[in-house]
Every structure is written in structure tokens, then in C-alpha cells.
């Protein structure tokens, strides 16, 4: 990381993700909104985080709950107005919080004016703004590509007598990122929000932004692993990860740099995510950071999983970008449930917050993570997520991570709303409500604040280099290092004690989970860890 990058506000930042539909409902319709978020910004600021990331609040028919945008430059009425967005920005900045917003550049809604025009004929001004292709001679789709949400990634359109591409729902047609007019329109969208005060962007599914112009078939997947969707049976070589995507990234980064010290982070999934994240963040002139699904999709948390993730971003190359990490978000079941089956949940929540705090890179905290919320139970008749419905009951789905935020434990719906919310409030979440934990100095909420203060107080944790120590396989030990200090981080992520005699037993413990006392123990209890100096 160059010196010009190392002092920027976002390096090592903690970013709190808000899923607007489920954070706070200000107008009593059962759906969260921008004024509700603004009213609760004091809670976020009290955690000690640096920024918030808002999932989409743009105009949308909500087939994929905002990730199907029909107007990039307006607020959907269920979330409020542009004036409400301006008020949120003003209040956040007054609280010294940056505001990062989602940008969805790989696809739009099929109700977007661009697509309505594009599908009207094969020779209109926007005919080439989306990915259209003729059928094969026998009428089948142009390639064998499969959509993330299940089934072919092509849908027939009788208006044009062609197929259009959609890597997700059929309601989310794929933009043609190869078209310079499309790229310019997306840059204009970015400029619109930067001019309104946004401090940066999280770029959704960015590695889907361009595709193989030859429409070559994807080969079969040969690696072993669980397969719940046709999408999982292919190596996605040709419908994502195109080599020209970094060229668009450089144009976007150039625009953003011209607006000041902003932050950009790409979401990158898939088998080739590690390489693509490096390409997207390669210095100079590309994105600041990227995150994948290393932890979000990990069925268990082990020392080896963490070591492998650290090894992907060693920080040895001066041109290497800066990583970001998340254990939970709106697209993955909450990690306290994924990794906590049969375990003491509160202890796991504290231990994983300790680990997340100590990682090199930016870290994301998903709303409710500071409370230790588990995955909510959503009965089948209340599911709304198209992916959850399509794959039920083989996966936990995303609805259980998107249920309303519990503000109090006594109000019928946790003081999220005065009416029945769009997703049910899990009674277990009410027990962990913000108001309840505020009264307990030993709560998970208090622990989260302690961890955020610890990260902010030590430059070695926030911005330092990282060095993994050689230890017994089940034990995870690494140092965070600057010229002024070294902070040692030790974790036993297993369910059995681990004997370990460190050479630096005289370290002073800054924070610990699973044991008490000021000294470093000779044997780490199950599910325990500490940060020491």
C-alpha cells in the first residue's frame, strides 16, 4: 500500500451495513425507510464505526428487493424521497459517519426505461444497451449459461424475437457493459450521487459487468462440493469475469477521485474471485477494496480458513489493493447460526467479533451483528426471497438474515414498526433487543463497542501489516505490526482446549474471550481467544 493510500480515512475502517427495509420504519407501513435510518444513526455512531453502507433504496419493483433498479437516480417511495436522502447524509456527516451506497451496474430491472426501449425493437437507440442474442437454429438459448437463482440465464422476448441475458432473475436483464454509451450512463449515475454527498460506493456483482462476446458455452464444473442450483454445475468462464472490466473500473475510479477522498469496494463472488479482486483493486487507478464470500459462505470457521484468507492478501506487493471482510450480510445466513450449531452462541458471537476486529483490512458489521443476532426463523409461508423459495428447504436462504432490527424487547414488533413488518420478528431477537442490551454493561452490544474502541486505539490493528505464526494446526496466531507496536492475536476456534506455550508469555492482554485474568494462559479453552500487546 503506497504512502498516499495509507493515510486515507477508509484504510482499516469499520463499516456498518444497513439493510433499509429492515432497520427502522418511520411511517407505519411495515417497511424500513430512510427517515427511520436517520432517526437511528445515533445508535450506529455510538458503536464507534467509521461509515455506513446502505443497501439499495432506489426506485424498484422490488422483485429482488432493490437490486432490480428501475431508476438509478431516485429514491423508491417506500423508502422516502431524495430530500430524505439529503437529510440522512447531513445527519450522518454531523455524527462523523461516512455514507457508502450500493451501485448495481451489471443489470437493471426489466421496468427500467432503458430496457423498455431496448426490447421494443432491434434497431432503436438503446437496442444494444442489453445483451440480446438470436436463438440457435432449433430455437434453444444462445448458450448454456445458467442464472444464479436457478434455470437458464436466457429468456425469450417475443417483441424482438431474441433472447436476453439475465445472470439473476429474469426480471433483471443484463446490461451490455461493452457498450460505451452504457458505461457513460453508469458514470453519470455515480456522479449524481457523489454530487449529493455520497462518500463512496459498494459495487454489486461487479464481475458480471461484461461477458464473452462469442457466447461460448461454460464447461462443466469438475470440483466436488454441494450443488443446489444448475449454476453450481458450471465453471463460469464466459458469463462473468471478462478481462475488460478493469478498464471500466479505471474510468469509474477516475471520476470518483475527482470528487475527493471517497471509498470504493467491489463485491466479487465465484471460483475466480481471488484473482478478480486483485485485478479490480490493482494500484494505481482502480478500486480501493474488494470482498468476496470466503467467510460469508464458509460452513465452519477454522484456523485454516482464516490463514488461507490472510494469505490471499499478504500485503507484500506495493501495488496490491486493500481487502475487506464480512462474516455476515444480507446475502448470507448470519454467522452465529452458520458456525454456532451446538455451541454457546453468545461466546461464539464475542469470539468472532474479536477475530473480525483483529483482521487486516476493512471490516463490515451487518446490522444486528453487534447484538449477536442468530439467523431468524422464517416459516415457508412468510418467505419472500426468490432464492430462498426456489431452493427451499436445501438452504437457509436470505430472509432469515433480513428480518427487522429489534430495538426494544417489549413492543409487539420490537419497536421496528407499529404494524406487522414485511418479514416476521423472531421472538429470540426480541430477547436481544438494543434497549435490553443498553442496560447491561456485559452485553454483546457493550462488547462490540469495546472492540471498536480497541481497533481505533491501535494503529497496528487498524492499519498494520500481518504475520501469521507457525503453530499447531488448530491454533490461529498472528501479529499485527507497525513501526511503533506489535499486537498479538491468538484464537482457539475449536471445541476442545489447546495447550500452547508462547515465547511471549509476559504480554498484557487487551481483550479476551473464554477466560479471565491478566496473564496469557498456558492452555487455551475451547472457543477462546485474546488480543495482547
Amino acid at each position: 500500500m503506497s504512502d498516499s493510500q495509507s493515510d486515507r480515512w477508509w484504510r482499516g475502517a469499520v463499516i456498518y451495513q444497513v439493510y433499509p427495509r429492515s432497520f427502522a420504519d418511520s411511517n407505519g407501513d411495515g417497511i424500513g425507510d430512510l427517515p427511520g435510518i436517520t432517526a437511528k444513526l445515533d445508535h450506529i455512531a455510538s458503536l464507534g464505526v467509521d461509515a455506513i453502507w446502505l443497501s439499495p433504496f432506489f426506485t424498484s419493483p422490488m422483485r429482488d428487493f432493490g437490486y432490480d433498479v428501475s431508476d438509478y437516480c431516485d429514491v423508491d417511495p417506500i423508502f422516502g424521497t431524495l430530500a430524505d436522502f439529503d437529510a440522512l447524509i447531513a445527519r450522518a456527516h454531523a455524527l462523523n459517519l461516512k455514507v457508502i451506497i450500493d451501485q448495481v451496474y451489471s443489470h437493471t430491472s426489466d421496468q427500467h426505461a432503458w430496457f423498455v426501449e431496448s426490447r421494443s425493437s432491434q434497431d432503436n437507440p438503446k437496442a444494444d444497451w442489453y445483451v440480446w442474442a438470436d436463438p440457435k437454429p432449433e430455437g434453444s438459448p444462445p448458450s448454456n449459461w445458467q442464472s444464479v437463482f436457478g434455470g437458464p440465464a436466457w429468456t425469450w422476448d417475443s417483441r424482438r424475437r431474441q433472447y436476453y441475458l439475465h445472470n439473476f432473475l429474469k426480471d433483471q436483464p443484463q446490461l451490455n457493459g461493452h457498450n460505451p454509451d452504457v458505461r457513460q450512463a453508469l458514470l453519470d449515475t455515480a456522479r449524481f450521487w457523489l454530487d449529493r454527498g455520497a462518500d463512496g460506493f459498494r459495487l454489486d456483482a461487479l464481475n458480471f459487468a461484461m461477458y464473452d462476446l462469442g457466447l461460448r458455452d461454460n464447461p462443466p464444473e469438475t470440483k466436488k462440493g454441494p450443488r443446489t442450483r444448475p449454476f453450481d454445475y458450471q465453471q463460469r468462464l464466459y458469463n462473468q469475469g471478462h478481462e475488460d472490466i478493469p478498464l471500466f473500473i479505471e474510468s469509474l475510479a477516475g471520476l470518483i477521485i475527482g470528487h475527493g477522498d471517497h471509498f470504493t469496494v467491489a463485491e466479487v463472488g465465484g471460483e475466480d474471485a481471488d484473482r478478480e479482486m486483485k485485478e479490480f483493486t490493482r494500484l494505481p487507478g482502480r478500486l480501493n477494496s474488494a470482498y468476496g464470500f470466503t467467510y460469508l459462505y464458509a460452513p465452519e470457521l477454522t484456523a485454516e480458513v482464516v490463514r488461507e484468507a490472510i494469505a490471499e492478501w499478504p500485503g507484500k506487493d506495493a501495488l496490491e489493493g486493500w481487502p475487506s471482510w464480512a462474516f455476515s450480510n444480507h446475502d448470507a445466513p448470519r454467522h452465529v447460526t452458520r458456525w454456532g450449531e451446538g455451541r454457546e452462541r453468545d461466546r461464539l458471537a464475542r469470539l468472532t467479533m474479536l477475530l473480525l476486529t483483529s483482521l487486516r483490512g476493512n471490516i463490515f458489521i451487518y446490522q444486528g451483528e453487534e447484538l449477536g443476532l442468530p439467523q431468524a426463523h422464517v416459516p415457508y409461508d412468510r418467505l419472500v426471497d426468490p432464492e430462498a423459495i426456489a431452493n427451499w428447504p436445501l438452504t437457509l436462504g436470505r430472509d432469515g438474515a433480513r428480518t427487522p432490527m429489534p430495538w426494544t424487547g417489549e413492543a409487539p414488533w420490537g419497536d421496528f414498526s407499529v404494524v406487522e413488518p414485511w418479514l416476521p420478528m423472531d421472538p429470540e431477537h426480541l430477547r436481544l433487543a438494543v434497549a435490553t442490551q443498553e442496560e447491561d454493561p456485559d452485553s454483546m452490544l457493550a462488547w462490540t463497542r469495546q472492540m471498536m474502541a480497541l481497533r481505533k486505539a491501535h494503529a497496528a490493528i487498524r492499519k498494520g501489516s500481518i504475520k501469521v505464526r507457525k503453530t499447531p494446526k488448530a491454533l490461529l496466531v498472528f501479529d499485527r505490526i507497525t513501526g511503533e507496536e506489535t499486537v498479538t492475536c491468538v484464537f482457539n476456534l475449536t471445541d476442545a482446549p489447546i495447550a500452547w506455550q508462547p515465547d511471549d508469555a509476559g504480554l498484557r492482554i487487551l481483550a479476551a474471550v473464554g477466560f479471565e485474568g491478566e496473564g496469557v494462559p498456558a492452555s487455551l479453552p475451547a472457543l477462546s481467544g485474546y488480543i495482547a500487546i
Side-chain angles (χ1 to χ4, degrees):
M1 180 68 66
S2 66
D3 291 339
S4 63
Q5 298 283 313
S6 62
D7 292 331
R8 297 179 68 178
W9 70 264
W10 49 262
R11 191 178 185 213
V14 181
I15 301 170
Y16 184 95
Q17 184 192 353
V18 174
Y19 191 69
R21 293 183 70 91
S22 298
F23 199 63
D25 171 20
S26 72
N27 62 357
D29 64 357
I31 298 173
D33 46 47
L34 296 185
I37 297 169
T38 303
K40 299 294 188 181
L41 284 175
D42 288 273
H43 166 74
I44 299 174
S46 77
L47 299 175
V49 303
D50 301 286
I52 62 172
W53 151 29
L54 298 178
S55 289
F57 51 83
F58 316 109
T59 309
S60 167
M62 300 295 164
R63 298 291 188 270
D64 192 25
F65 298 99
Y67 285 93
D68 50 324
V69 179
S70 57
D71 187 341
Y72 281 114
C73 296
D74 205 355
V75 175
D76 194 277
I78 67 170
F79 296 130
T81 64
L82 282 170
D84 291 327
F85 175 79
D86 296 340
L88 187 155
I89 288 281
R91 179 58 182 157
H93 288 172
L95 292 169
N96 202 30
L97 290 170
K98 305 287 188 181
V99 179
I100 311 302
I101 66 173
D102 252 308
Q103 295 288 268
V104 187
Y105 290 158
S106 67
H107 54 264
T108 71
S109 164
D110 61 355
Q111 296 183 30
H112 197 294
W114 299 347
F115 187 71
V116 172
E117 181 174 355
S118 185
R119 80 189 315 179
S120 65
S121 68
Q122 294 191 26
D123 57 2
N124 66 79
K126 290 186 172 58
D128 194 35
W129 278 44
Y130 293 82
V131 183
W132 296 95
D134 293 328
K136 290 182 178 179
E138 81 288 0
S140 63
S143 73
N144 70 348
W145 301 347
Q146 298 294 307
S147 72
V148 174
F149 291 162
W154 298 95
T155 288
W156 175 256
D157 186 88
S158 59
R159 298 165 183 82
R160 287 184 49 141
R161 294 189 297 280
Q162 287 182 308
Y163 284 94
Y164 67 87
L165 178 66
H166 53 88
N167 283 300
F168 298 91
L169 296 175
K170 66 179 181 61
D171 314 274
Q172 295 170 294
Q174 183 74 25
L175 281 165
N176 180 8
H178 294 288
N179 186 322
D181 293 334
V182 171
R183 296 196 300 272
Q184 185 58 54
L186 295 175
L187 293 177
D188 292 342
T189 294
R191 183 180 294 107
F192 175 87
W193 292 108
L194 291 170
D195 288 344
R196 294 200 87 94
D199 298 295
F201 303 124
R202 178 262 191 189
L203 301 163
D204 182 70
L206 188 59
N207 55 341
F208 282 98
M210 295 183 187
Y211 63 99
D212 175 59
L213 291 169
L215 305 183
R216 286 173 286 181
D217 283 348
N218 282 328
E221 179 57 78
T222 56
K223 294 180 181 178
K224 295 181 179 179
R227 297 174 182 174
T228 59
R229 309 161 296 180
F231 183 77
D232 301 323
Y233 285 79
Q234 293 184 352
Q235 299 177 49
R236 277 87 67 180
L237 300 183
Y238 301 120
N239 60 322
Q240 65 184 81
H242 193 276
E243 60 185 6
D244 288 345
I245 294 175
L247 300 179
F248 170 65
I249 286 173
E250 289 172 2
S251 299
L252 177 64
L255 168 68
I256 294 170
I257 289 170
H259 280 72
D261 190 10
H262 292 70
F263 174 63
T264 50
V265 56
E267 176 205 35
V268 183
E271 292 295 320
D272 204 23
D274 292 329
R275 182 193 63 80
E276 290 172 349
M277 287 191 286
K278 297 292 194 317
E279 286 294 316
F280 294 174
T281 60
R282 189 78 174 164
L283 295 172
R286 294 187 181 175
L287 303 179
N288 303 135
S289 190
Y291 78 91
F293 291 81
T294 301
Y295 294 113
L296 292 170
Y297 285 176
E300 60 180 339
L301 181 66
T302 65
E304 191 60 27
V305 166
V306 180
R307 281 192 288 263
E308 288 177 357
I310 291 172
E312 289 297 335
W313 296 88
K316 310 278 188 193
D317 182 350
L319 296 180
E320 181 182 289
W322 185 247
S324 289
W325 307 106
F327 288 173
S328 290
N329 74 6
H330 67 291
D331 274 337
R334 290 186 180 271
H335 72 268
V336 172
T337 296
R338 274 188 288 122
W339 300 334
E341 184 68 31
R343 295 169 139 184
E344 185 181 335
R345 194 177 66 207
D346 180 68
R347 184 151 156 178
L348 177 68
R350 291 169 189 264
L351 183 62
T352 52
M353 186 62 73
L354 185 73
L355 174 60
L356 186 63
T357 297
S358 67
L359 294 178
R360 174 184 177 271
N362 294 337
I363 61 172
F364 291 96
I365 295 177
Y366 181 49
Q367 64 183 49
E369 195 171 340
E370 75 274 26
L371 307 176
L373 296 186
Q375 180 82 347
H377 171 67
V378 181
Y380 180 76
D381 63 354
R382 289 297 304 274
L383 292 177
V384 295
D385 173 29
E387 183 183 36
I389 294 169
N391 294 306
W392 187 88
L394 295 178
T395 66
L396 287 173
R398 301 182 297 179
D399 284 331
R402 298 177 174 185
T403 55
M405 183 79 169
W407 295 102
T408 70
E410 298 177 357
W413 296 288
D415 206 30
F416 163 78
S417 179
V418 295
V419 301
E420 177 74 27
W422 72 288
L423 280 174
M425 175 71 73
D426 192 315
E428 179 63 16
H429 285 193
L430 293 176
R431 187 181 67 81
L432 299 170
V434 173
T436 301
Q437 296 202 33
E438 284 282 9
E439 299 175 357
D440 181 2
D442 295 322
S443 66
M444 179 63 193
L445 177 57
W447 176 254
T448 300
R449 288 173 176 149
Q450 182 182 336
M451 292 301 95
M452 298 305 100
L454 177 66
R455 185 175 172 92
K456 192 164 289 187
H458 292 273
I461 301 177
R462 186 176 175 93
K463 299 183 178 183
S465 62
I466 190 166
K467 182 178 181 181
V468 178
R469 296 197 193 185
K470 291 183 179 180
T471 60
K473 184 177 180 181
L475 186 66
L476 173 67
V477 182
F478 56 83
D479 294 316
R480 302 297 314 283
I481 306 163
T482 62
E484 292 74 32
E485 67 176 357
T486 296
V487 176
T488 299
C489 308
V490 181
F491 300 91
N492 176 6
L493 303 173
T494 75
D495 295 317
I498 298 178
W500 185 58
Q501 291 289 344
D503 295 333
D504 42 14
L507 290 174
R508 176 171 59 90
I509 291 179
L510 300 175
V513 173
F515 63 89
E516 297 181 357
E518 298 181 358
V520 174
S523 178
L524 279 173
L527 281 183
S528 68
Y530 62 85
I531 295 176
I533 191 168

